[in-house]
Amino acid sequence: MAHIQQSLSTSISSSTSTLMDQHKLRLRSQNVSLPGKTGGIVRCVATPSTETSSKTKVSRNENLAKLQAGYLFPEIARRRSAHMLKHPDAQIISLGIGDTTEPIPEFISSAMAQRAHDLSTLKGYSGYGAEQGEKQLRASIASTFYANVGIEEDEIFVSDGAKSDISRLQVLFGSNVTMAVQDPSYPAYVDSSVIMGQTGQFQKDVEKYGSIAYMRCTPENGFFPDLSSVPRTDIIFFCSPNNPTGAAASREQLTKLVHFAKNNGSILVYDSAYAMYICDDSPKSIFEIPGAKEVAIEVSSFSKYAGFTGVRLGWTAIPKALLYSDGFPVAKDFNRIVCTSFNGASNIAQAGGLACLSPDGFKAMKNVVSFYKENTEIIMETFKSLGYKVYGGKNAPYVWVHFPGRSSWEVFSEILEKTHVVTTPGSGFGPGGEGFVRVSAFGHRDNVVEACRRFKELYK
């Protein structure tokens, strides 16, 4: 041990002298001799434990124990992986999870690359930014998407995506609220409510969680719920265009929804992540509806417009006029949640977002959306030609195909086994999705065409 200390002391002294003499910081390799060792590396080896198991005294979160199986999309990935092991030579085509496939437009990726490079310079480097997002990007989101509805830049919170903000909103609301959700709908709404403790146990006979109001959306009601049969809840989650059905609510329907929320004193969480896919006069924002600023929050994302599913960038708009029952502004509490749990979206991603909202970037996003909508038309025409009833597609990148009298998972398995194409079982979005399968238009054109050829072979 004395030998080690002497060697270290000599090395440090020598290194210090060199630094003082040259007035420069340089990294030098220092060899430390250890008795009985041939090299200069000390390895720490763990002693194998003789215990077979060990437990803490911490109880599991009982709300997580309520969740049924795995989250939908990881479960689909698991089944896909099992299929690949069984059929290693098969060409798997994925039209399941709504993950974009086309490259980010070069104009947008170049802006991110430039920002990344700038971070390597003294002039361009920046560390922590505002948790709410960079001022220029917040202003650009407000002027691009909300110019005619009066949402201002300080009512915009930039984030790492709509899914993350949904969970932050659940933390904001807490466990002592009641919730209503479209049925079928994006699973994150229900699962996050379960985790927060807002629900009762899962009721297997009806495939629902207790204390959640499931607002059934079917072809018969135009995929808009009969609000007269919906009980009063504190929070209402609503997505338009809807994932998974692809249905976009009309102005008249959204006006009814806003009035319903206002009459019940509820807060409406409106997910507009697919708004740029709307091609008719359906509202692209809930704030187009008079009175919405007093009852609504809007979450949105760059993911499905610019290919940012991996980049991660979105936003939430909370009007100053939205107040709790005691008059306290909702936005102030959300700001506290954001500042406590989030250090802001990546500055590189935000540079990309700013490029998206420039004239050239916005045009590029529209081109991406148009490409996926062309895929949607191919898929819709395929299933229509086979005699199936098909919904969605027009205002969304999803095709909702009805297989009457059949289990969604059964159809999913049949398609995967016989065509090697991954879809999404409708029942994974709620009991109202049973008998349906969602086919995503996010895919390379050649893959979409080939998948449709296989569908025709299977169901001709």
Side-chain angles (χ1 to χ4, degrees), residues 26-141:
R26 292 181 179 177
L27 297 178
R28 292 182 177 273
S29 162
Q30 299 296 332
N31 293 325
V32 180
S33 298
L34 297 176
K37 300 290 183 181
T38 57
I41 299 175
V42 180
R43 300 189 184 278
C44 298
V45 180
T47 303
S49 174
T50 57
E51 298 181 14
T52 57
S53 64
S54 177
K55 297 186 293 184
T56 70
K57 295 183 179 180
V58 180
S59 299
R60 183 187 180 196
N61 182 338
E62 62 182 10
N63 297 312
L64 285 167
K66 297 177 187 176
L67 292 171
Q68 297 301 295
Y71 186 68
L72 174 61
F73 298 112
E75 175 61 21
I76 290 172
R78 185 191 68 78
R79 296 191 184 208
R80 171 183 170 161
S81 296
H83 182 77
M84 291 174 68
L85 289 174
K86 184 179 177 181
H87 304 278
D89 297 326
Q91 180 195 355
I92 307 293
I93 297 175
S94 180
L95 300 180
I97 186 172
D99 191 4
T100 51
T101 56
E102 297 308 295
I104 294 172
E106 186 175 358
F107 177 82
I108 298 169
S109 63
S110 294
M112 291 190 284
Q114 183 61 55
R115 184 64 172 269
H117 172 74
D118 289 346
L119 291 172
S120 69
T121 68
L122 285 174
K123 183 178 180 181
Y125 178 76
S126 61
Y128 290 128
E131 292 89 348
Q132 305 82 0
E134 295 178 359
K135 180 179 176 62
Q136 190 177 1
L137 178 56
R138 297 172 78 190
S140 188
I141 291 171

Side-chain angles (χ1 to χ4, degrees), residues 190-231:
V190 169
D191 282 14
S192 59
S193 293
V194 175
I195 292 170
M196 281 301 301
Q198 298 168 0
T199 74
Q201 294 293 332
F202 185 73
Q203 302 164 2
K204 291 186 178 181
D205 56 334
V206 291
E207 297 290 315
K208 296 178 180 180
Y209 286 96
S211 302
I212 291 183
Y214 288 79
M215 304 185 296
R216 185 60 66 95
C217 298
T218 67
E220 291 71 29
N221 63 19
F223 296 102
F224 187 81
D226 175 9
L227 296 177
S228 66
S229 66
V230 177

Side-chain angles (χ1 to χ4, degrees), residues 17 20 40 76-78 87 184 202 269 286 304 319 325 335 337-338 341 356 377 393 413 435:
S17 298
M20 294 298 290
I76 290 172
R78 185 191 68 78
H87 304 278
F202 185 73
V269 178
I286 192 61
K304 308 304 167 64
S325 58
N335 185 66
I337 295 292
V338 167
S341 64
C356 286
E377 292 174 5
S413 298

Side-chain angles (χ1 to χ4, degrees), residues 10 35 61 93 118 176 207 225 254 285 316:
T10 302
N61 182 338
I93 297 175
D118 289 346
N176 296 320
E207 297 290 315
L254 291 181
S285 169
T316 290

Side-chain angles (χ1 to χ4, degrees), residues 347-366:
N347 44 23
I348 297 172
Q350 291 191 72
L354 201 56
C356 286
L357 302 181
S358 69
D360 287 344
F362 204 77
K363 181 180 178 181
M365 287 200 299
K366 284 185 173 181

